[in-house]
Amino acid sequence: MPTPTDMDNAGTGAAGAQATVAGDRLLLRGILVHDIRRDLRRHLRPMLAWYLLFTAFATVAAAPLTTWSLAALLHWIERPFMGDFDDLADNLLAIAWLMLAGALSWYVVMLQQAGMLLVSASHGCRYRTAAAALLGMLRRAGPLAVLAAWQVFAHALLAAPWLAIGVLLYRWLLGGYDPYYVLAARPAALWWFLAGFMPVLVGGLLLHATLYFRWLLATPALVLEGLSPVAALLRSRALTRGRHLRIATLVVGVALAVAAMPLLVTELYDRAATPMLDWLPDQRLPTSAGMVVYLTLYAATVLGVLLLGTTLNTLLVRALFLRLGGARGARAVPASPPRPGRFVWGAEAVFLVVALVQAAIAVTSMNLQREVTVTAHRGAAALAPENTLAAFAAAIDAGADAIEFDVRLSADGAVVVFHDSDFRRIAGDPRTVSQTPLAAMRDIDVGSWFAPAFSGERIATLGEALAFIDRRALALVELKPDAHNAQALLEATLREVRRGGHDDAVMLASLSPELVRAARAAAPEARLALFTNAALPGTSRRTDFDMLGLNHLQVDGGAVADARRRGYLLQAWTVNDPARMARYMDLGVDDISTDVPGEAVRLRAQRAALGDVELLLVRLHSWFRR
């Protein structure tokens, strides 16, 4: 039985725990209400000068060096890292590359935070403080690089077990299925996989979050206390011990608020200010000038919001560091010069000039080209069963400029029009294409799954498909090799194209840069396309393809600019939403791949009927909805 003394001790312990929790709540509330508000008043304008200086530094030095080093590494190891990953070597190299990319990106973020910490530790003026902070950041660049490497490496080690479990579960439960069948049909094995892997994933992410918040204060420990990278990690661990959940709640809450601010600004401008552009006169020059002024204000507002968000995050970390027992230290940078006002106005003038330049670039880069081409993805796959002659007929009737379809190699060497590696999704037949002869494929009904009206639709050969299309549209033929027959599929496809005399009406495509290179070597005159989910810099030599087909979620102004600079066509695939189609047309892509080609053709015709001024205004609306 517990004695009265034991009960008193227990009560004292409970009261102490409650007092600690209450103290932590007051501490965190004090950080939000008092510390950050005070520091914002004191440091916001010096932070603006620092933000501009660091942006210039990142643009001139950090970003180019990061991009060039990653691209050079990819070129040196000559691995594509795009599309499908078929072997262990590609997977391991891709993970190593992503780790390096993550470390470099995190390093740039840490450099920016280090400078802001130095600014926030000073009571000096705007410009002098920012310049001194830049020098202080550069002096700490080496230790910060080591700190970033330690953190990324630790997270990579932490990720290895749950990634390995996920790979093993996938191979055990889903390895025998075609990936597209898994996504489309969602068999029972998928749910077993998710049931087994989701707890592992959630547990892994919780461990990553714990490690992140344990080391949240390492950067201020290194910058403000002058500790070594390892000592800074240990210092952060000591300061945050027992408070991870409360710190996480505060940090995540502020982060969500910061992330929402640019979205709210864009929505406000689109709803409240954009309609005023309709008052502009119907002339190109005044409209363009008005748009430049309007976008300048918008860019200045967004840049200001981004600055505010970055500043809030840094001040939050600093306030946590100081409140939890970090060194308060002396001034980290020199005091103000005799005439600080000149530097303040200079920094703010630069801010407005940057906004003006961005606005002018946005207006001048708005593409007025109306002749984007339309590719029917697997035929008009929303109107008829994919990769069938019925789908090709629907695409031609819709006015598509090109018809994309997939080809594979049968067991007896015939090139057949089919997407998946087996017939399970389309016909409920588990046989694989590569192990089934053409004669046996002819008995497979590939239309009933779509609708009873297409019952009896059969698999076509490449020759039959090209003869049916008969130059009424470009045939965009995507090669879908199995692991053992890529070269054989390429050779058989080229023979079939040449036999029918369709060389000038065909473009060959693949997700594999190596297969595209092989096609270039085998047929230098052929038109070639490289399809990819994400085009990382340096992943393929420019001379290998004539068109880059990019997952539409990865298409932006930079991708369009790259295509123009390097001289290849850019396709966005697969886009079925009319609003997104309009956006990519406005960005200036050369081709849109879609399951509903009639919708894209209609949208293109509508834009062709607009005058230049009307088109500029329409594209401004699309620009805001990016």
Side-chain angles (χ1 to χ4, degrees):
M1 266 182 88
T3 66
T5 302
D6 292 334
M7 295 176 67
D8 288 343
N9 289 339
T12 302
Q18 291 175 357
T20 300
V21 171
D24 280 343
R25 288 175 180 167
L26 288 173
L27 178 148
L28 297 179
R29 191 179 301 122
I31 288 172
L32 275 176
V33 175
H34 178 264
D35 294 6
I36 295 180
R37 185 176 62 183
R38 179 201 62 206
D39 286 343
L40 270 177
R41 285 200 307 266
R42 182 182 299 168
H43 300 298
L44 185 58
R45 295 183 79 183
M47 288 289 189
L48 169 60
W50 160 254
Y51 189 80
L52 292 170
L53 280 178
F54 184 82
T55 299
F57 167 77
T59 302
V60 173
L65 286 174
T66 298
T67 303
W68 293 339
S69 60
L70 293 174
L73 178 62
L74 282 172
H75 181 73
W76 175 66
I77 59 182
E78 294 186 340
R79 292 285 181 174
F81 301 153
M82 56 168 67
D84 297 326
F85 296 110
D86 295 323
D87 58 53
L88 183 61
D90 276 353
N91 284 322
L92 292 177
L93 284 170
I95 290 172
W97 189 92
L98 290 172
M99 281 180 57
L100 179 60
L104 289 172
S105 300
W106 182 237
Y107 179 49
V108 173
V109 172
M110 289 175 67
L111 289 175
Q112 183 185 56
Q113 189 179 72
M116 284 192 155
L117 286 169
L118 292 171
V119 171
S120 66
S122 169
H123 300 289
C125 82
R126 287 81 172 168
Y127 185 81
R128 175 68 65 82
T129 299
L134 182 62
L135 293 176
M137 178 207 75
L138 292 175
R139 284 196 296 269
R140 294 165 174 83
L144 286 169
V146 176
L147 181 61
W150 269 110
Q151 290 179 319
V152 172
F153 182 69
H155 279 284
L157 286 179
L158 197 60
W162 62 262
L163 283 174
I165 292 171
V167 170
L168 291 175
L169 279 174
Y170 183 89
R171 289 184 176 178
W172 178 38
L173 295 170
L174 298 171
Y177 295 99
D178 183 277
Y180 199 80
Y181 168 75
V182 172
L183 293 174
R186 296 172 185 161
L190 173 62
W191 305 113
W192 283 110
F193 168 76
L194 292 176
F197 182 59
M198 287 306 294
V200 176
L201 176 62
V202 170
L205 294 179
L206 286 175
L207 289 175
H208 283 288
T210 301
L211 185 62
Y212 173 78
F213 290 112
R214 175 177 293 177
W215 287 348
L216 179 68
L217 305 180
T219 301
L222 186 149
V223 172
L224 300 179
E225 294 186 339
L227 299 179
S228 68
V230 173
L233 293 173
L234 295 175
R235 176 71 163 146
S236 178
R237 179 184 178 183
L239 292 175
T240 59
R241 183 179 285 115
R243 298 184 174 95
H244 297 149
L245 182 58
R246 287 181 286 276
I247 291 174
T249 302
L250 179 61
V251 172
V252 171
V254 172
L256 290 175
V258 167
M261 287 192 293
L263 300 177
L264 292 175
V265 168
T266 299
E267 185 69 16
L268 178 64
Y269 267 80
D270 188 38
R271 290 183 178 275
T274 304
M276 290 188 288
L277 290 171
D278 295 334
W279 301 347
L280 292 173
D282 190 17
Q283 297 174 12
R284 176 70 183 273
L285 185 58
T287 300
S288 297
M291 289 174 66
V292 167
V293 172
Y294 178 75
L295 289 178
T296 298
L297 296 175
Y298 170 78
T301 306
V302 170
L303 285 172
V305 166
L306 290 174
L307 166 66
L308 179 60
T310 306
T311 302
L312 280 173
N313 179 68
T314 300
L315 294 180
L316 172 61
V317 170
R318 177 174 178 265
L320 278 169
F321 180 68
L322 297 179
R323 285 269 185 161
L324 295 176
R328 296 183 178 270
R331 296 177 181 177
V333 288
S336 61
R339 295 185 180 87
R342 297 180 183 179
F343 299 112
V344 175
W345 288 110
E348 291 169 353
V350 171
F351 184 85
L352 291 175
V353 168
V354 170
L356 181 62
V357 169
Q358 287 186 337
I361 291 174
V363 172
T364 56
S365 64
M366 284 185 182
N367 176 54
L368 295 181
Q369 170 189 330
R370 295 177 172 86
E371 289 307 313
V372 60
T373 56
V374 175
T375 294
H377 179 244
R378 303 181 198 172
L383 304 177
E386 65 182 54
N387 282 326
T388 62
L389 299 185
F392 300 164
I396 293 169
D397 291 343
D401 304 289
I403 298 174
E404 183 270 343
F405 57 89
D406 310 280
V407 295
R408 289 185 175 272
L409 208 58
S410 70
D412 50 354
V415 183
V416 296
V417 180
F418 202 74
H419 179 276
D420 296 2
S421 59
D422 59 45
F423 307 106
R424 187 180 273 111
R425 177 174 65 92
I426 299 298
D429 189 333
R431 289 179 295 175
T432 63
V433 177
S434 63
Q435 295 176 346
T436 307
L438 176 61
M441 289 184 200
R442 297 294 195 183
D443 297 328
I444 300 175
D445 179 357
V446 294
S448 295
W449 70 274
F450 187 86
F454 296 100
S455 176
E457 198 72 30
R458 302 300 171 185
I459 294 173
T461 65
L462 174 59
E464 292 166 350
L466 294 177
F468 179 84
I469 295 172
D470 193 27
R471 291 184 171 78
R472 289 179 289 176
L474 175 71
L476 182 53
V477 182
E478 182 179 350
L479 304 173
K480 289 282 188 183
D482 293 287
H484 61 282
N485 66 7
Q487 189 62 34
L489 174 61
L490 172 61
E491 293 172 357
T493 300
L494 289 173
R495 281 197 303 270
E496 194 64 45
V497 170
R498 289 164 179 164
R499 182 184 298 124
H502 298 288
D503 306 66
D504 59 338
V506 169
M507 177 181 282
L508 299 181
S510 175
L511 279 164
S512 166
E514 294 175 355
L515 190 54
V516 171
R517 282 195 285 271
R520 176 66 76 207
E525 76 289 348
R527 285 182 286 177
L528 303 175
L530 175 66
F531 291 163
T532 178
N533 282 298
L536 301 177
T539 52
S540 185
R541 300 177 183 87
R542 155 68 196 96
T543 54
D544 292 333
F545 54 86
D546 303 291
M547 182 173 77
L548 178 67
L550 193 58
N551 184 313
H552 74 92
L553 297 176
Q554 302 299 321
V555 173
D556 55 18
V560 174
D562 267 351
R564 296 289 177 270
R565 184 171 60 253
R566 298 179 183 275
Y568 56 79
L569 301 175
L570 181 66
Q571 178 197 76
W573 59 263
T574 302
V575 192
N576 294 328
D577 176 35
R580 288 188 176 273
M581 291 179 189
R583 177 198 166 194
Y584 298 128
M585 288 180 183
D586 296 341
L587 281 175
V589 300
D590 300 286
D591 184 81
I592 290 177
S593 178
T594 176
D595 295 323
V596 284
E599 191 66 32
V601 170
R602 179 191 63 79
L603 198 60
R604 180 178 63 184
Q606 285 182 350
R607 273 168 157 62
L610 298 176
D612 284 353
V613 173
E614 294 173 304
L615 194 57
L616 271 174
L617 293 175
V618 165
R619 291 190 172 173
L620 180 64
H621 282 275
S622 291
W623 188 84
F624 271 102
R625 292 189 178 95
R626 292 185 299 179

